[in-house]
Structure formats: C-alpha cells, structure tokens
Amino acid sequence: MKAIKFYKAGGPEVMQFEDINLDAPGPGQVRLRHTAIGLNYLDVYYRSGAYPASLPSGLGFEAAGVVEAVGDGVTNLKEGDRVAYGAGPIGSYAQARNMPANRLAKLPDSIADDTAAAMMLKGMTVRYLMRETYKVKAGDTILWHAVAGGVGLIAVQWAKHLGVRVIGTTSSPEKAALAKSLGCDEVINYTEENVAERVRELTDGKGVPVVYDGVGQATLEASLDSLSPMGLLASFGSASGPVKDFDTGVLAAKGSLYLTRPTLMTYVASDEALQANVAELFDVVGSGAVKVEINQTYALADAVKAHQDLEGRKTTGSTVLLP
C-alpha cells in the first residue's frame, strides 16, 4: 500500500508518496480500503507546522472506503461495509489504513463515496458551528467568511434550509456567483469592499448576532466590527494565520462581544456526540437539502499539487483525492 508521509514541517513539497506496511487490525479496529479522500485546510496546518504533529506523520482526517477486515471486539461493522469518517485520527492520505471502529459511520445508499469523502469533516464542522456553538434559527442573519470554500458552500445551503439569511465574503466575482447559485443572499468581495461597513448597510446598522470566521488574523477586525452588541465571533480556522496578541478589552469596547475558538474534535470527542453530528449531516445531504460541490479531483500521488492549488486559492467547494 502507499500513503503520503512527511518527515518535517514545511511547504507542500515535504509530502512524500511512499510504500507502507499495514498490520492486521487490532482489537477495536477495522482495516479500511479507501475509495476517496477529502482535502481540507486543516491538512495544511499540520503539514506546515502551524499545528504540531508527531513526526514522521501521515496527513488528512477525512475519507470514505470499504471495510476489508475486522479486529477483535468489533460488532458494529463487518467486511464489505461502506463507511466514512471526518474527525481523524490523522492519516487519511493513504490507500488503506486501520481505523478505530467506533469513529466510523456507516454510509447510507443515498450518499456516494466521493460525496462522503468531500463532506465529512466540512459538514460535521458546519453542523457543530450552526447547531451547537451558536444555534442559528429561522430569521437570523449570519456572516460567513470564505463562503465559496468547501465548508462555506455547505454552510450556505444548510443555513438556507433552516430559514437563515446568509451574508458571505469572498475574493472574486466567480466565487461570489458560485455562492449565490447555492442560496447565499449577499456576497461581499473583500478585495473591493469594506466588509463591516457593508454588513452594517445590509442589516440597517444592527450588525449580525454571529460571525463564522475560518480565515483568522486577516478578518478579525472586520468580524468584530460586523457583530451586534453581545454578538459571537466563532473563529474556527486560521487560513490567513492565527490570531495573536489579542486584547480582550476590545470585546468590551465593541459591545460586550463574545469570542470562541472552537474545534470539531472537541465537539465530537464522545462517540455519542460524533454519531449525533453524523446523523444530522447524513439527513440534510441524503434529503437533497445540502448538495456537496466537488469541484476538483486529484490523484493521491498528486497531493503536492492539490495543496499548492488549495493554498493558492485556486479551488472552490470540495476537493477529493483518489487513491
């Protein structure tokens, strides 16, 4: 079998496509042959060293595949089951791997393998953000940064399904058109417009109760200035770099605001929480309320190119690696 490994943190070129030996699955594990693998900006954080990894390391947290062997004590899965996962452990960039059976979800017939690989981490992220971190409700107006990305496009559709008005930000007319085609009510091109001023215009000066920000440092000020008093900034990613040296007094000055830095791994730490998240995700995708946009596909062997395009903002929607 082959897998992507990296032995030092750095740019996309540190990834190596190499042979691996795969042991029989241990107790509580299954051996999974991957059919499709999801690409996420989270992978960049680990590869670059922004998030620590125990080196040498595999990469990736999301994939779909078929169970090929079952270890001792596994009763919920059997050989031939189609499954997917989106909350790790790290190492999905591989043709096959052993996985803890309790962190896998059986795929319904209504969801194809490539769709599952493209949606698990992203969709589970949207679910915890909009159903737990700040539980959106019909009539709310929200601001979502990088709305044409994989997470953003799922969020737009899910929010509209819940009766929410969505204001999004993006960097080009093409990306804005894509977001609008999936239901985004207003799209702000942050390269040409002042985001916070435009949000105020679109909300009659009130601002929004929640901002979902996966960009980080570059959008921090605009996010805070877009919030209504006692609003919440959910800073769930750092594509532009992490927020540093933050003065909490700013939250008071701008209207007794709240700031949280949530992670999917915390919200699905228990098996029960994981399965509850997945069940709701499968429901909205299986019903057609949320369609997963797979706009790029690469061979797993071309992971370097995939990362270059992701970091170069050349991708939209979801990207899948094929083993």
PDB file of all heavy atoms in Angstrom, residues 44-70:
ATOM      1  N   VAL A  44      -3.273  21.497   5.808  1.00  0.00           N
ATOM      2  CA  VAL A  44      -2.192  22.466   5.620  1.00  0.00           C
ATOM      3  C   VAL A  44      -1.607  22.884   6.960  1.00  0.00           C
ATOM      4  O   VAL A  44      -0.383  23.022   7.106  1.00  0.00           O
ATOM      5  CB  VAL A  44      -2.698  23.703   4.841  1.00  0.00           C
ATOM      6  CG1 VAL A  44      -1.628  24.792   4.777  1.00  0.00           C
ATOM      7  CG2 VAL A  44      -3.149  23.308   3.442  1.00  0.00           C
ATOM      8  N   TYR A  45      -2.481  23.081   7.957  1.00  0.00           N
ATOM      9  CA  TYR A  45      -1.993  23.489   9.273  1.00  0.00           C
ATOM     10  C   TYR A  45      -1.019  22.463   9.837  1.00  0.00           C
ATOM     11  O   TYR A  45       0.023  22.824  10.409  1.00  0.00           O
ATOM     12  CB  TYR A  45      -3.155  23.662  10.252  1.00  0.00           C
ATOM     13  CG  TYR A  45      -4.205  24.682   9.864  1.00  0.00           C
ATOM     14  CD1 TYR A  45      -5.510  24.585  10.344  1.00  0.00           C
ATOM     15  CD2 TYR A  45      -3.904  25.752   9.031  1.00  0.00           C
ATOM     16  CE1 TYR A  45      -6.475  25.512  10.004  1.00  0.00           C
ATOM     17  CE2 TYR A  45      -4.871  26.684   8.683  1.00  0.00           C
ATOM     18  CZ  TYR A  45      -6.152  26.562   9.173  1.00  0.00           C
ATOM     19  OH  TYR A  45      -7.119  27.476   8.838  1.00  0.00           O
ATOM     20  N   TYR A  46      -1.345  21.184   9.701  1.00  0.00           N
ATOM     21  CA  TYR A  46      -0.462  20.140  10.232  1.00  0.00           C
ATOM     22  C   TYR A  46       0.794  19.997   9.383  1.00  0.00           C
ATOM     23  O   TYR A  46       1.899  19.857   9.918  1.00  0.00           O
ATOM     24  CB  TYR A  46      -1.211  18.811  10.314  1.00  0.00           C
ATOM     25  CG  TYR A  46      -2.072  18.705  11.549  1.00  0.00           C
ATOM     26  CD1 TYR A  46      -3.398  19.115  11.533  1.00  0.00           C
ATOM     27  CD2 TYR A  46      -1.548  18.232  12.751  1.00  0.00           C
ATOM     28  CE1 TYR A  46      -4.188  19.045  12.675  1.00  0.00           C
ATOM     29  CE2 TYR A  46      -2.324  18.161  13.894  1.00  0.00           C
ATOM     30  CZ  TYR A  46      -3.641  18.567  13.852  1.00  0.00           C
ATOM     31  OH  TYR A  46      -4.404  18.507  14.991  1.00  0.00           O
ATOM     32  N   ARG A  47       0.650  20.044   8.078  1.00  0.00           N
ATOM     33  CA  ARG A  47       1.820  19.897   7.212  1.00  0.00           C
ATOM     34  C   ARG A  47       2.810  21.036   7.393  1.00  0.00           C
ATOM     35  O   ARG A  47       4.037  20.843   7.370  1.00  0.00           O
ATOM     36  CB  ARG A  47       1.357  19.851   5.746  1.00  0.00           C
ATOM     37  CG  ARG A  47       2.429  19.493   4.732  1.00  0.00           C
ATOM     38  CD  ARG A  47       2.195  20.247   3.438  1.00  0.00           C
ATOM     39  NE  ARG A  47       2.464  21.664   3.585  1.00  0.00           N
ATOM     40  CZ  ARG A  47       1.724  22.640   3.060  1.00  0.00           C
ATOM     41  NH1 ARG A  47       0.632  22.366   2.362  1.00  0.00           N
ATOM     42  NH2 ARG A  47       2.064  23.913   3.241  1.00  0.00           N
ATOM     43  N   SER A  48       2.316  22.234   7.589  1.00  0.00           N
ATOM     44  CA  SER A  48       3.172  23.418   7.699  1.00  0.00           C
ATOM     45  C   SER A  48       3.799  23.590   9.072  1.00  0.00           C
ATOM     46  O   SER A  48       4.731  24.374   9.238  1.00  0.00           O
ATOM     47  CB  SER A  48       2.363  24.675   7.364  1.00  0.00           C
ATOM     48  OG  SER A  48       1.359  24.893   8.353  1.00  0.00           O
ATOM     49  N   GLY A  49       3.259  22.868  10.080  1.00  0.00           N
ATOM     50  CA  GLY A  49       3.752  23.022  11.440  1.00  0.00           C
ATOM     51  C   GLY A  49       2.962  24.003  12.269  1.00  0.00           C
ATOM     52  O   GLY A  49       3.279  24.210  13.443  1.00  0.00           O
ATOM     53  N   ALA A  50       1.932  24.627  11.673  1.00  0.00           N
ATOM     54  CA  ALA A  50       1.086  25.539  12.448  1.00  0.00           C
ATOM     55  C   ALA A  50       0.411  24.787  13.589  1.00  0.00           C
ATOM     56  O   ALA A  50       0.225  25.333  14.680  1.00  0.00           O
ATOM     57  CB  ALA A  50       0.051  26.193  11.542  1.00  0.00           C
ATOM     58  N   TYR A  51       0.022  23.531  13.326  1.00  0.00           N
ATOM     59  CA  TYR A  51      -0.448  22.628  14.365  1.00  0.00           C
ATOM     60  C   TYR A  51       0.609  21.527  14.508  1.00  0.00           C
ATOM     61  O   TYR A  51       1.142  21.041  13.505  1.00  0.00           O
ATOM     62  CB  TYR A  51      -1.780  21.984  13.994  1.00  0.00           C
ATOM     63  CG  TYR A  51      -2.977  22.901  13.978  1.00  0.00           C
ATOM     64  CD1 TYR A  51      -4.224  22.417  13.617  1.00  0.00           C
ATOM     65  CD2 TYR A  51      -2.882  24.256  14.314  1.00  0.00           C
ATOM     66  CE1 TYR A  51      -5.346  23.238  13.589  1.00  0.00           C
ATOM     67  CE2 TYR A  51      -3.985  25.078  14.284  1.00  0.00           C
ATOM     68  CZ  TYR A  51      -5.217  24.569  13.924  1.00  0.00           C
ATOM     69  OH  TYR A  51      -6.315  25.386  13.895  1.00  0.00           O
ATOM     70  N   PRO A  52       0.938  21.132  15.726  1.00  0.00           N
ATOM     71  CA  PRO A  52       2.008  20.141  15.908  1.00  0.00           C
ATOM     72  C   PRO A  52       1.571  18.732  15.518  1.00  0.00           C
ATOM     73  O   PRO A  52       0.456  18.314  15.803  1.00  0.00           O
ATOM     74  CB  PRO A  52       2.310  20.228  17.405  1.00  0.00           C
ATOM     75  CG  PRO A  52       1.030  20.715  18.022  1.00  0.00           C
ATOM     76  CD  PRO A  52       0.411  21.624  17.017  1.00  0.00           C
ATOM     77  N   ALA A  53       2.467  18.023  14.840  1.00  0.00           N
ATOM     78  CA  ALA A  53       2.262  16.611  14.517  1.00  0.00           C
ATOM     79  C   ALA A  53       3.483  15.837  14.995  1.00  0.00           C
ATOM     80  O   ALA A  53       4.604  16.367  14.996  1.00  0.00           O
ATOM     81  CB  ALA A  53       2.067  16.422  13.021  1.00  0.00           C
ATOM     82  N   SER A  54       3.267  14.609  15.414  1.00  0.00           N
ATOM     83  CA  SER A  54       4.371  13.748  15.831  1.00  0.00           C
ATOM     84  C   SER A  54       5.026  13.175  14.573  1.00  0.00           C
ATOM     85  O   SER A  54       4.423  12.368  13.865  1.00  0.00           O
ATOM     86  CB  SER A  54       3.851  12.625  16.729  1.00  0.00           C
ATOM     87  OG  SER A  54       4.904  11.770  17.122  1.00  0.00           O
ATOM     88  N   LEU A  55       6.246  13.623  14.285  1.00  0.00           N
ATOM     89  CA  LEU A  55       6.906  13.273  13.024  1.00  0.00           C
ATOM     90  C   LEU A  55       7.745  12.000  13.160  1.00  0.00           C
ATOM     91  O   LEU A  55       8.338  11.760  14.212  1.00  0.00           O
ATOM     92  CB  LEU A  55       7.784  14.443  12.571  1.00  0.00           C
ATOM     93  CG  LEU A  55       7.033  15.747  12.315  1.00  0.00           C
ATOM     94  CD1 LEU A  55       8.005  16.873  11.992  1.00  0.00           C
ATOM     95  CD2 LEU A  55       6.014  15.592  11.191  1.00  0.00           C
ATOM     96  N   PRO A  56       7.853  11.206  12.080  1.00  0.00           N
ATOM     97  CA  PRO A  56       7.138  11.353  10.804  1.00  0.00           C
ATOM     98  C   PRO A  56       5.652  11.096  10.976  1.00  0.00           C
ATOM     99  O   PRO A  56       5.231  10.380  11.882  1.00  0.00           O
ATOM    100  CB  PRO A  56       7.794  10.304   9.915  1.00  0.00           C
ATOM    101  CG  PRO A  56       8.264   9.253  10.857  1.00  0.00           C
ATOM    102  CD  PRO A  56       8.697   9.984  12.098  1.00  0.00           C
ATOM    103  N   SER A  57       4.869  11.668  10.079  1.00  0.00           N
ATOM    104  CA  SER A  57       3.421  11.616  10.239  1.00  0.00           C
ATOM    105  C   SER A  57       2.737  11.406   8.902  1.00  0.00           C
ATOM    106  O   SER A  57       3.241  11.796   7.848  1.00  0.00           O
ATOM    107  CB  SER A  57       2.919  12.926  10.855  1.00  0.00           C
ATOM    108  OG  SER A  57       1.509  12.953  10.949  1.00  0.00           O
ATOM    109  N   GLY A  58       1.556  10.810   8.973  1.00  0.00           N
ATOM    110  CA  GLY A  58       0.651  10.823   7.843  1.00  0.00           C
ATOM    111  C   GLY A  58      -0.081  12.152   7.820  1.00  0.00           C
ATOM    112  O   GLY A  58       0.235  13.073   8.581  1.00  0.00           O
ATOM    113  N   LEU A  59      -1.079  12.255   6.960  1.00  0.00           N
ATOM    114  CA  LEU A  59      -1.795  13.519   6.821  1.00  0.00           C
ATOM    115  C   LEU A  59      -3.249  13.221   6.457  1.00  0.00           C
ATOM    116  O   LEU A  59      -3.556  12.193   5.859  1.00  0.00           O
ATOM    117  CB  LEU A  59      -1.137  14.362   5.732  1.00  0.00           C
ATOM    118  CG  LEU A  59      -1.413  15.864   5.727  1.00  0.00           C
ATOM    119  CD1 LEU A  59      -0.954  16.514   7.026  1.00  0.00           C
ATOM    120  CD2 LEU A  59      -0.701  16.522   4.538  1.00  0.00           C
ATOM    121  N   GLY A  60      -4.129  14.136   6.821  1.00  0.00           N
ATOM    122  CA  GLY A  60      -5.530  14.012   6.445  1.00  0.00           C
ATOM    123  C   GLY A  60      -6.400  13.420   7.534  1.00  0.00           C
ATOM    124  O   GLY A  60      -5.966  12.579   8.318  1.00  0.00           O
ATOM    125  N   PHE A  61      -7.665  13.884   7.577  1.00  0.00           N
ATOM    126  CA  PHE A  61      -8.593  13.485   8.631  1.00  0.00           C
ATOM    127  C   PHE A  61      -9.910  12.934   8.114  1.00  0.00           C
ATOM    128  O   PHE A  61     -10.772  12.587   8.907  1.00  0.00           O
ATOM    129  CB  PHE A  61      -8.896  14.696   9.524  1.00  0.00           C
ATOM    130  CG  PHE A  61      -7.753  15.105  10.399  1.00  0.00           C
ATOM    131  CD1 PHE A  61      -6.757  15.953   9.928  1.00  0.00           C
ATOM    132  CD2 PHE A  61      -7.639  14.631  11.694  1.00  0.00           C
ATOM    133  CE1 PHE A  61      -5.686  16.321  10.727  1.00  0.00           C
ATOM    134  CE2 PHE A  61      -6.576  14.986  12.509  1.00  0.00           C
ATOM    135  CZ  PHE A  61      -5.596  15.840  12.021  1.00  0.00           C
ATOM    136  N   GLU A  62     -10.072  12.816   6.789  1.00  0.00           N
ATOM    137  CA  GLU A  62     -11.402  12.566   6.236  1.00  0.00           C
ATOM    138  C   GLU A  62     -11.296  11.636   5.038  1.00  0.00           C
ATOM    139  O   GLU A  62     -10.445  11.832   4.166  1.00  0.00           O
ATOM    140  CB  GLU A  62     -11.976  13.918   5.826  1.00  0.00           C
ATOM    141  CG  GLU A  62     -13.143  13.928   4.900  1.00  0.00           C
ATOM    142  CD  GLU A  62     -13.528  15.346   4.518  1.00  0.00           C
ATOM    143  OE1 GLU A  62     -12.774  16.022   3.791  1.00  0.00           O
ATOM    144  OE2 GLU A  62     -14.601  15.781   4.938  1.00  0.00           O
ATOM    145  N   ALA A  63     -12.155  10.623   4.989  1.00  0.00           N
ATOM    146  CA  ALA A  63     -12.149   9.705   3.851  1.00  0.00           C
ATOM    147  C   ALA A  63     -13.380   8.818   3.894  1.00  0.00           C
ATOM    148  O   ALA A  63     -14.113   8.756   4.896  1.00  0.00           O
ATOM    149  CB  ALA A  63     -10.885   8.850   3.841  1.00  0.00           C
ATOM    150  N   ALA A  64     -13.584   8.092   2.789  1.00  0.00           N
ATOM    151  CA  ALA A  64     -14.603   7.055   2.696  1.00  0.00           C
ATOM    152  C   ALA A  64     -13.944   5.801   2.165  1.00  0.00           C
ATOM    153  O   ALA A  64     -12.906   5.866   1.492  1.00  0.00           O
ATOM    154  CB  ALA A  64     -15.737   7.491   1.775  1.00  0.00           C
ATOM    155  N   GLY A  65     -14.536   4.654   2.471  1.00  0.00           N
ATOM    156  CA  GLY A  65     -13.953   3.420   1.991  1.00  0.00           C
ATOM    157  C   GLY A  65     -14.783   2.211   2.345  1.00  0.00           C
ATOM    158  O   GLY A  65     -15.943   2.319   2.768  1.00  0.00           O
ATOM    159  N   VAL A  66     -14.163   1.038   2.172  1.00  0.00           N
ATOM    160  CA  VAL A  66     -14.828  -0.246   2.396  1.00  0.00           C
ATOM    161  C   VAL A  66     -14.047  -1.041   3.441  1.00  0.00           C
ATOM    162  O   VAL A  66     -12.812  -1.120   3.386  1.00  0.00           O
ATOM    163  CB  VAL A  66     -14.908  -1.047   1.082  1.00  0.00           C
ATOM    164  CG1 VAL A  66     -15.554  -2.410   1.327  1.00  0.00           C
ATOM    165  CG2 VAL A  66     -15.682  -0.271   0.024  1.00  0.00           C
ATOM    166  N   VAL A  67     -14.753  -1.597   4.411  1.00  0.00           N
ATOM    167  CA  VAL A  67     -14.126  -2.424   5.441  1.00  0.00           C
ATOM    168  C   VAL A  67     -13.630  -3.729   4.815  1.00  0.00           C
ATOM    169  O   VAL A  67     -14.392  -4.449   4.162  1.00  0.00           O
ATOM    170  CB  VAL A  67     -15.117  -2.731   6.581  1.00  0.00           C
ATOM    171  CG1 VAL A  67     -14.504  -3.696   7.588  1.00  0.00           C
ATOM    172  CG2 VAL A  67     -15.551  -1.432   7.271  1.00  0.00           C
ATOM    173  N   GLU A  68     -12.341  -4.028   4.995  1.00  0.00           N
ATOM    174  CA  GLU A  68     -11.746  -5.243   4.440  1.00  0.00           C
ATOM    175  C   GLU A  68     -11.459  -6.309   5.500  1.00  0.00           C
ATOM    176  O   GLU A  68     -11.384  -7.492   5.176  1.00  0.00           O
ATOM    177  CB  GLU A  68     -10.446  -4.910   3.706  1.00  0.00           C
ATOM    178  CG  GLU A  68     -10.650  -4.192   2.391  1.00  0.00           C
ATOM    179  CD  GLU A  68      -9.402  -4.176   1.540  1.00  0.00           C
ATOM    180  OE1 GLU A  68      -8.292  -4.088   2.102  1.00  0.00           O
ATOM    181  OE2 GLU A  68      -9.541  -4.249   0.313  1.00  0.00           O
ATOM    182  N   ALA A  69     -11.271  -5.906   6.738  1.00  0.00           N
ATOM    183  CA  ALA A  69     -11.014  -6.863   7.817  1.00  0.00           C
ATOM    184  C   ALA A  69     -11.456  -6.239   9.134  1.00  0.00           C
ATOM    185  O   ALA A  69     -11.430  -5.016   9.297  1.00  0.00           O
ATOM    186  CB  ALA A  69      -9.532  -7.241   7.875  1.00  0.00           C
ATOM    187  N   VAL A  70     -11.836  -7.101  10.064  1.00  0.00           N
ATOM    188  CA  VAL A  70     -12.382  -6.638  11.344  1.00  0.00           C
ATOM    189  C   VAL A  70     -11.567  -7.231  12.484  1.00  0.00           C
ATOM    190  O   VAL A  70     -11.283  -8.430  12.504  1.00  0.00           O
ATOM    191  CB  VAL A  70     -13.862  -7.053  11.476  1.00  0.00           C
ATOM    192  CG1 VAL A  70     -14.413  -6.675  12.840  1.00  0.00           C
ATOM    193  CG2 VAL A  70     -14.689  -6.408  10.371  1.00  0.00           C
TER     194      VAL A  70
END
